[in-house]
Amino acid sequence: MKILNKIVSLLAVMAVVPSGFAATSRVAMNVGTTRLPTTRSSLASVYARAALNTSGTSGSTLLTASECVEEYTNCMKKSDACGSDFEECTTNPLLHSKMAQCTSVLYQCGADGINDLFGASSVTDLGIVAGYKVKKTGKEFAGAVPVDVKDYEVTKFMYPTTNSVMHQLVEGAAIANRYDTTQCVKKYTTCLKKDDVCGEDFELCTDHDEFSKQQVLCASTLARCQTEGIVELFGSADTSQFSGGRLEKMVKDGADLAGANAVNTCYKTISNCFSAACAKNPYRCVEGTPMSVASAADFVNGGTIETLTTPAENGDDTAVLTKSDIKKFFKSACEDTIGGNKYCFMTFNEGKTPKASELSDLDIRSEL
């Protein structure tokens, strides 16, 4: 009988615990958990948040302006974003290249917080381009990129504006993190020799075109160099070409070595291209990622609403990336790099040295 009484008492206690736990869970959720968006949220909900922010309406899920500035700044100062001293974000484009790391925080901010951070009224304004450079000619233009211009590099985004928090952090970092000539040459060379940039022996940077593609990975380092250091590296203050500087010899030496190790050079090129493609938007390279999430990250990285054509926009919140989607993404991102690489041509054509016409042939590129 005593045992039965104890069992009944225990059951009574257990019946009370779940309700008590649920109550405390709701309290905790109201404090902070509901501020964190789930990775399954659709693109439609992302734009709904943006519209809410623009209207200035606040709810329990939005941070106050001061909270927004504090949390977003702390996030951007992490090592995988701008760094504790913003040393990786010393220019406007470099800042935008890291913004995707803190998207989840930004979507918790109201209109006032976004305005304090960037001088913009909503998240959807942050991708507006204010300047670009045509890669083929090197000419720079102000304003948005015309539809018929395909191969370009963004040189400036409209936001952040002059008096915003992010602009001040970028400008401060640009001044505080300047390198003298010796530091510039040493640090920039070290960066270029990383395995995912030019390689220890410059085997991935064997000509000017290859170097131009890879040097963007060290742009944050070069941005901290003063004119004297740039001249030492490139031979002049013009970083779009090199003649007479240290880099000219490094690229020539890399070409000599790569020619003797074509197979190894080719596979390094492939691996590096895949890594670079995924670095812009890691979600594009993960099977099972909701398409809405991948598209939202594209937008934050400088895409436009018009380019976001995914099933999620048509009301399909369950669409996810498949292996086939990822293969198409890699082919689109790397077909020119791999298909037009002379060492990959040599690797899969029994060591035959390609003609310029063969490397530019679209069918041959696709086959490689």
Side-chain angles (χ1 to χ4, degrees), residues 3-18:
I3 294 176
L4 182 59
N5 288 336
K6 288 183 178 180
I7 292 176
V8 172
S9 299
L10 179 60
L11 290 174
V13 171
M14 292 178 66
V16 173
V17 169

Side-chain angles (χ1 to χ4, degrees), residues 336-353:
D336 288 343
T337 299
I338 298 172
N341 185 275
K342 58 186 174 183
Y343 302 109
C344 286
F345 183 96
M346 294 168 65
T347 297
F348 296 104
N349 288 277
E350 300 179 349
K352 175 187 173 183
T353 301

Side-chain angles (χ1 to χ4, degrees), residues 53-314:
N53 294 348
T54 303
S55 67
T57 303
S58 61
S60 61
T61 61
L62 297 180
L63 299 171
T64 64
S66 59
E67 289 175 334
C68 170
V69 171
E70 181 180 1
E71 294 200 22
Y72 189 74
T73 301
N74 288 339
C75 180
M76 290 296 284
K77 285 187 174 183
K78 291 181 179 178
S79 59
D80 60 347
C82 291
S84 59
D85 296 320
F86 254 60
E87 64 273 13
E88 299 298 327
C89 297
T90 55
T91 66
N92 174 292
L94 289 175
L95 173 70
H96 277 260
S97 71
K98 299 293 185 179
M99 282 168 53
Q101 302 293 337
C102 299
T103 303
S104 61
V105 177
L106 196 59
Y107 284 142
Q108 300 171 55
C109 294
D112 290 344
I114 296 172
N115 184 66
D116 288 348
L117 284 168
F118 294 96
S121 58
S122 73
V123 174
T124 55
D125 291 337
L126 300 182
I128 299 176
V129 174
Y132 66 96
K133 177 173 69 176
V134 178
K135 290 185 178 180
K136 187 174 182 180
T137 62
K139 292 184 178 180
E140 295 191 16
F141 301 89
V145 183
V147 178
D148 58 338
V149 176
K150 303 300 180 184
D151 194 18
Y152 65 91
E153 175 185 338
V154 176
T155 56
K156 184 179 181 181
F157 289 88
M158 183 175 291
Y159 300 99
T161 56
T162 304
N163 295 322
S164 64
V165 173
M166 286 296 109
H167 176 83
Q168 292 174 18
L169 286 171
V170 169
E171 288 296 299
I175 296 172
N177 292 287
R178 287 289 186 185
Y179 293 142
D180 59 30
T181 301
T182 301
Q183 290 176 314
C184 171
V185 172
K186 182 178 180 180
K187 290 184 179 292
Y188 191 60
T189 301
T190 299
C191 180
L192 290 174
K193 287 190 173 185
K194 291 179 180 178
D195 289 341
D196 60 344
V197 187
C198 287
E200 179 63 31
D201 299 306
F202 260 59
E203 64 273 18
L204 298 179
C205 297
T206 59
D207 58 35
H208 182 270
D209 289 341
E210 290 180 352
F211 176 78
S212 295
K213 293 177 182 177
Q214 298 302 100
Q215 71 168 340
V216 297
L217 299 175
C218 295
S220 61
T221 302
L222 187 63
R224 298 164 68 178
C225 290
Q226 300 183 61
T227 303
E228 292 78 5
I230 293 174
V231 171
E232 179 70 20
L233 288 165
F234 290 85
S236 71
D238 184 2
T239 60
S240 65
Q241 58 186 351
F242 48 79
S243 177
R246 297 192 183 204
L247 292 175
E248 183 178 30
K249 184 177 185 306
M250 294 168 73
V251 169
K252 182 181 182 303
D253 291 345
D256 293 340
L257 181 64
N261 298 277
V263 176
N264 186 47
T265 300
C266 174
Y267 282 106
K268 280 191 175 183
T269 299
I270 294 172
S271 176
N272 183 69
C273 188
F274 285 179
S275 297
C278 292
K280 296 177 181 177
N281 182 358
Y283 295 112
R284 285 287 180 195
C285 303
V286 181
E287 184 182 0
T289 297
M291 282 191 172
S292 58
V293 173
S295 296
D298 280 340
F299 177 76
V300 172
N301 283 334
T304 62
I305 297 176
E306 289 77 9
T307 63
L308 302 180
T309 53
T310 72
E313 288 183 283
N314 298 320

Side-chain angles (χ1 to χ4, degrees), residues 36-47 49 107 290-296 312 317-319:
L36 300 177
T38 65
T39 57
R40 294 280 176 181
S41 60
S42 66
L43 189 59
S45 68
V46 168
Y47 289 144
R49 284 175 180 269
Y107 284 142
M291 282 191 172
S292 58
V293 173
S295 296
D317 294 335
T318 63

